[in-house]
C-alpha cells in the first residue's frame, strides 16, 4: 500500500518557535509538495521539489522554507512561527509529469498546526 | 494563469439520491487535465476522477461521473446513488499538460444525510 506519511497530525507551538513538519513517501516519486489548506481558500501551494536538493516557490512561500536531502523526504520549516500560520498543512507527492504521467497527487493525512 | 472556481461552499443530499458539484476553470492552454479530489473528514485526500481535455467523452468511475464542457470551461461532478461515505470535501483541480503543479478550487463540502 503506497503511502505519504506526515510525522505529526497535531502540533501546538508558540509564536516565534521554529517548527519542522516532516513528510516521507515510499513511492519513489520525484515530485513532492507542501500545501496549506484554509477554509474558503482551498489548497495553496507553498513549495514544491522536483528532485533532491531542488525546490521551487509556490504561491505563498513567505515565512516558510523547505529541505529535501533525500528523495523520499521533504520537510517544511517555519523559521519563526506566527499566529497567521495556524493552518492544516498537506504534503503530497507525484511522478514527473514529463514522463507521460498525468500529475496525480498522493496526499498525506495532514498536519494541523496551531500557533499560540 | 490557470484558475479554478467552485461556487458551492456546501451541498447536502439524501442517501441514494444524485448530487452535482459545480466547477469552472480558466486556462489558455489546449492540453490539460482536470481532476476531482475527495477529502473525507480527518482522512487523506484521494483522487476521485480524472479527465483529459483532449477527450470529448466524459470520464466515469462507478457512481462518479463528470460533465465536461470544454467550450464553457465547466467540469461538474455527478455522484449517483449517494452513500454516507461520500460525505467529504470535494476539490476540483486542473493541471497543464507536462507540468507538475495542480491548481485547486476552494472546495465544496458535501454532507450525505440518511
Amino acid at each position: 500500500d503506497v503511502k505519504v506519511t506526515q510525522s505529526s497530525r497535531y502540533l501546538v507551538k508558540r509564536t516565534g518557535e521554529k517548527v519542522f513538519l516532516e513528510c516521507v513517501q515510499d513511492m519513489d516519486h520525484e515530485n513532492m509538495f507542501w500545501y496549506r489548506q484554509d477554509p474558503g481558500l482551498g489548497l495553496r501551494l507553498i513549495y514544491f521539489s522536483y528532485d533532491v536538493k531542488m525546490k521551487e516557490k509556490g504561491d505563498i512561500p513567505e515565512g516558510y522554507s523547505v529541505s529535501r536531502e533525500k528523495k523520499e523526504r521533504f520537510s517544511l520549516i517555519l523559521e519563526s512561527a506566527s499566529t497567521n500560520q495556524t493552518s492544516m498543512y498537506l504534503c503530497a507527492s507525484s511522478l514527473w509529469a514529463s514522463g507521460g504521467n498525468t500529475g496525480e497527487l498522493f496526499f498525506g493525512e495532514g498536519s494541523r498546526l496551531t500557533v499560540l | 494563469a490557470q484558475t479554478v472556481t467552485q461556487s458551492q461552499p456546501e451541498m447536502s443530499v439524501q442517501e441514494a439520491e444524485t448530487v452535482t458539484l459545480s466547477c469552472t476553470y480558466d486556462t489558455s492552454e489546449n492540453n490539460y487535465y482536470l481532476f476531482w479530489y475527495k477529502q473525507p473528514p480527518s482522512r487523506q485526500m484521494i483522487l476521485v476522477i480524472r479527465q483529459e481535455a483532449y477527450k470529448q467523452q466524459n470520464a466515469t468511475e462507478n457512481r462518479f461521473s463528470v460533465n465536461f464542457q470544454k467550450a464553457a470551461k465547466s467540469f461538474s461532478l455527478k455522484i449517483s446513488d449517494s452513500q454516507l461515505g461520500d460525505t467529504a470535501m470535494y476539490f476540483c483541480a486542473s493541471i497543464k499538460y507536462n507540468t507538475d503543479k495542480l491548481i485547486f478550487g476552494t472546495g465544496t463540502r458535501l454532507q450525505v444525510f440518511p
Side-chain angles (χ1 to χ4, degrees), chain A residues 31 33 37 97 102 105 107, chain B residues 35 37 39 44 50 99-100:
Chain A
N31 297 327
F33 304 82
Q37 182 180 1
T102 56
L105 295 188
F107 284 87
Chain B
F35 304 83
Y37 280 86
Q39 186 182 39
Q44 66 200 109
R50 168 177 48 223
T99 65
D100 298 289

Side-chain angles (χ1 to χ4, degrees), chain A residues 9 31 33 35 37 40-43 45 48 57 90 95-98 102-105 107-109, chain B residues 33 35 37 39 42-45 47 50 52 89 91 95 97-102 104-107:
Chain A
R9 291 293 303 274
N31 297 327
F33 304 82
Y35 285 90
Q37 182 180 1
L41 297 177
L43 274 71
L45 182 63
F48 81 100
K57 292 180 180 179
L90 298 179
L95 291 165
W96 273 339
S98 59
T102 56
E104 176 184 353
L105 295 188
F107 284 87
E109 291 185 320
Chain B
Y33 295 99
F35 304 83
Y37 280 86
Q39 186 182 39
S42 301
R43 293 177 59 189
Q44 66 200 109
M45 190 152 359
L47 178 67
R50 168 177 48 223
E52 291 93 334
M89 280 289 289
F91 291 95
I95 189 169
Y97 187 71
N98 262 356
T99 65
D100 298 289
K101 289 193 293 182
L102 258 69
F104 285 88
T106 53

Side-chain angles (χ1 to χ4, degrees), chain B residues 81-99:
Chain B
D81 186 26
S82 297
Q83 300 176 0
L84 296 178
D86 295 334
T87 291
M89 280 289 289
Y90 287 83
F91 291 95
C92 180
S94 72
I95 189 169
K96 292 190 291 187
Y97 187 71
N98 262 356
T99 65

